[in-house]
Amino acid sequence: MKKISILIPCYNEQESLPLLYKALYDVMADERVASKYDFEILLVNDGSKDSTLSILRQMHKDDSRVSYIDLSRNFGKENAMMAGFDYVTGDCCIVMDADLQDPPEVMFQMIEKWEEGYEDVYAKRVSRGKESWLRRTLSMQFYKILNKMSKVEMLQNVGDFRLLDRRCVEALKSLRETERYTKGLFCWIGYKKAEVLFDRGDRVAGTTSWSMWKLMRLGIDGIISFTTAPLHLATWLGLIISFLAFVYLIFILVKTLIYGDPVAGFPTLICVILFLGGVLLLCVGILGEYVARMYNEAKRRPGYLVREHNDKLV
Ligand code: UDP
Ligand code: MG
């Protein structure tokens, strides 16, 4: 029998977990899949500060299909997923959130598509659940910009909720970068993709742990790790401004030669200096973003550390 792994990163999800387990239990007991597949639920505790871990231990005790790994601290969702990919054992792996924003019924369609031979079946949101106008607009603009800049096509309104064939899991395992932007990596690995549509619900319990700031960082991570376009932007800005400055220089030179040089133009001077200062700092900043990532990757630290795996300390 083929085995389906369900991978769920959890951070402070004590309220959602019982509901999640119930929903998954119903899916696994459904006649469409129950007799055809073995199931494994792998929960990754990403350094939760509430009682998530003890709930996971209990779930593992009650149901042998549930396993868990406990990371040594909070490494972030991206790295928690990487840990999950290393530990899942199934022929395919379904990634979903703990808060039931990804409706488990969609899994049936995913599994069907997988049986048709697709290797990466991703769920595309038709609606996005409760969310501020600002966040929605920013997210849309972000995808537009990212797609313009990067060579790999990034899918919009597609999250981490998807089914990955073992092949894709192995491919993702081979990408060991620690500054991860997993949404991009899914697109980068390629393979045969198919989509299923779904309505994204609201969180059943708890609150989102993504602040605007964290989302911005993730956005910058996405851009920096998938395109070097900002670096070229710096080059082009430099070229254009140098050219304009050269033209202006000739203009001033000629003007001075013809009309003499009464000292004036202090405001112009300040404007130019401030403007150029700003552009320079921006370019140095862009360089810095890349250098910082190179620095972090060069340290070759593992993306996560595991403290406990199914009742055994690691
Ligand atoms: N999550 C995690 N580590 C973190 C933050 C979040 O493992 O540092 C998990 C969280 O438990 C949930 C999933 O990632 O299962 C998505 O998080 P959340 O619902 O807060 O994000 P949103 O749905 O708002 O994008
Ligand atoms: Mg959520």
Side-chain angles (χ1 to χ4, degrees):
M1 261 203 314
K2 285 189 192 166
K3 183 165 169 188
I4 297 177
S5 299
I6 302 172
L7 163 59
I8 305 162
C10 309
Y11 178 60
N12 294 346
E13 299 283 4
Q14 57 180 12
E15 281 106 23
S16 319
L17 283 175
L19 300 165
L20 173 75
Y21 178 71
K22 208 182 151 298
L24 290 179
Y25 187 91
D26 290 344
V27 167
M28 295 188 297
D30 193 285
E31 58 189 13
R32 280 172 278 180
V33 291
S35 55
K36 282 197 233 150
Y37 303 102
D38 282 329
F39 281 94
E40 167 194 59
I41 304 177
L42 177 69
L43 298 135
V44 182
N45 177 32
D46 185 17
S48 300
K49 293 184 179 68
D50 59 4
S51 53
T52 298
L53 180 60
S54 47
I55 298 178
L56 296 188
R57 287 194 185 116
Q58 192 56 44
M59 280 163 71
H60 172 64
K61 216 174 270 159
D62 295 343
D63 187 337
S64 62
R65 295 173 295 186
V66 176
S67 2
Y68 69 91
I69 49 181
D70 178 37
L71 304 187
S72 64
R73 64 169 169 85
N74 178 258
F75 283 92
K77 183 185 180 189
E78 309 294 313
N79 287 327
M81 279 195 284
M82 166 152 99
F85 291 136
D86 290 340
Y87 278 80
V88 290
T89 56
D91 298 295
C92 73
C93 166
I94 298 175
V95 186
M96 67 182 288
D97 285 359
D99 55 13
L100 287 176
Q101 275 190 302
D102 305 330
E105 313 86 69
V106 179
M107 284 190 215
F108 298 120
Q109 287 159 268
M110 289 180 164
I111 295 169
E112 252 169 50
K113 287 272 180 196
W114 178 50
E115 287 294 355
E116 285 169 23
Y118 291 100
E119 288 151 330
D120 176 1
V121 187
Y122 57 85
K124 189 172 175 139
R125 297 187 283 257
V126 194
S127 71
R128 297 173 53 102
K130 227 184 268 152
E131 193 173 51
S132 72
W133 170 86
L134 184 67
R135 181 167 163 182
R136 194 167 50 237
T137 324
L138 283 181
S139 154
M140 261 166 63
Q141 289 307 322
F142 168 73
Y143 279 106
K144 258 200 204 127
I145 295 175
L146 185 57
N147 265 325
K148 281 241 170 66
M149 294 200 300
S150 114
K151 288 190 196 99
V152 188
E153 200 212 347
M154 303 283 168
L155 299 161
Q156 197 180 353
N157 278 336
V158 174
D160 299 325
F161 184 29
R162 58 178 67 223
L163 181 149
L164 298 159
D165 186 76
R166 176 59 33 198
R167 261 178 230 124
C168 298
V169 175
E170 292 302 324
L172 287 167
K173 276 165 73 175
S174 69
L175 308 176
R176 300 314 291 184
E177 62 210 72
T178 51
E179 310 262 315
R180 292 173 85 80
Y181 179 68
T182 317
K183 281 190 214 11
L185 297 181
F186 290 139
C187 299
W188 187 88
I189 58 170
Y191 292 102
K192 272 182 77 181
K193 295 194 186 304
E195 73 176 28
V196 293
L197 300 174
F198 79 109
D199 282 308
R200 185 152 166 95
D202 296 326
R203 250 179 179 280
V204 284
T207 50
T208 176
S209 45
W210 292 94
S211 57
M212 211 52 181
W213 172 247
K214 265 190 171 175
L215 277 174
M216 281 249 295
R217 287 305 315 173
L218 185 72
I220 294 180
D221 272 341
I223 292 177
I224 304 278
S225 60
F226 276 89
T227 148
T228 49
L231 288 175
H232 307 307
L233 178 82
T235 317
W236 283 109
L237 263 180
L239 276 176
I240 293 171
I241 291 179
S242 309
F243 176 73
L244 290 179
F246 184 71
V247 173
Y248 190 56
L249 181 142
I250 298 208
F251 169 72
I252 295 278
L253 210 66
V254 172
K255 201 176 117 187
T256 315
L257 284 177
I258 298 175
Y259 299 104
D261 182 22
V263 178
F266 182 69
T268 328
L269 205 64
I270 285 294
C271 288
V272 169
I273 289 177
L274 286 183
F275 175 68
L276 276 185
V279 171
L280 275 177
L281 281 180
L282 177 75
C283 295
V284 173
I286 292 175
L287 265 180
E289 290 288 338
Y290 283 92
V291 173
R293 273 166 188 72
M294 285 166 64
Y295 174 62
N296 282 338
E297 295 295 351
K299 284 190 276 194
R300 298 191 144 273
R301 291 189 185 157
Y304 64 89
L305 293 170
V306 176
R307 205 184 90 80
E308 188 179 321
H309 178 215
N310 289 346
D311 291 329
K312 278 187 273 306
L313 287 179
V314 179

